[in-house]
């Protein structure tokens, strides 16, 4: 059986303080048995979203690589996506938005 591919969970955010905690919780709950990294990229939010991301990541007790970054100015969806991609260290990307509630097997199904 072939090895599972390394996946990058690219999580994009902008001004979603109300929803971001739940979305991050489901991102970190992935049951993927292969290598998985998380890239959280905030698009210069003004409502505290970035602070919540940093708080949630600081509480993460898992073993996976986690990158937290923020754009210097609002770049909108395409610009934030391109910004986040510079931190990816895999060939496979799973893109998620700041209000996505993922089932624990999302990455396993894709992988």
């Amino acid at each position: 059986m072939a090895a599972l591919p390394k996946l990058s969970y690219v999580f994009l955010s902008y001004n979603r303080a109300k929803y971001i905690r739940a979305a991050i919780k489901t991102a970190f709950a992935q049951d993927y048995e292969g290598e998985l990294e998380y890239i959280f990229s905030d698009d210069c939010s003004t409502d505290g979203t970035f602070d919540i991301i940093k708080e949630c990541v600081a509480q993460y007790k898992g073993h996976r690589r986690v990158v937290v970054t923020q754009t210097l100015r609002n770049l909108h969806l395409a610009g934030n996506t391109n910004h986040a991609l510079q931190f990816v260290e895999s060939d496979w990307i799973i893109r998620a938005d700041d209000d996505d509630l993922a089932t624990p097997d999302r990455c396993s199904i894709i992988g």
Side-chain angles (χ1 to χ4, degrees):
M1 186 165 126
L4 293 170
K6 180 177 180 179
L7 303 178
S8 297
Y9 196 102
V10 177
F11 187 106
L12 305 175
S13 64
Y14 176 68
N15 283 349
R16 292 291 179 118
K18 181 177 178 180
Y19 305 104
I20 197 87
R21 285 182 201 280
I24 292 171
K25 182 178 179 179
T26 66
F28 281 148
Q30 294 303 300
D31 64 7
Y32 188 61
E33 293 182 8
E35 194 173 349
L36 175 66
E37 67 179 1
Y38 295 99
I39 313 297
F40 293 93
S41 184
D42 181 69
D43 197 15
C44 207
S45 291
T46 59
D47 69 346
T49 295
F50 189 56
D51 291 330
I52 295 169
I53 293 169
K54 292 187 294 185
E55 175 187 318
C56 291
V57 168
Q59 295 171 359
Y60 175 62
K61 303 296 186 216
H63 64 281
R64 302 188 189 275
R65 176 177 180 260
V66 179
V67 174
V68 176
T69 185
Q70 185 178 48
T71 59
L72 297 177
R73 62 182 174 79
N74 183 260
L75 300 176
H76 307 284
L77 182 59
N80 191 20
T81 301
N82 288 333
H83 174 79
L85 292 179
Q86 70 183 313
F87 300 98
V88 168
E89 293 184 352
S90 77
D91 293 326
W92 296 91
I93 296 168
I94 298 171
R95 203 180 74 65
D97 291 316
D98 47 18
D99 60 352
D100 287 352
L101 299 179
T103 60
D105 61 352
R106 180 179 184 184
C107 292
S108 294
I109 290 169
I110 294 169

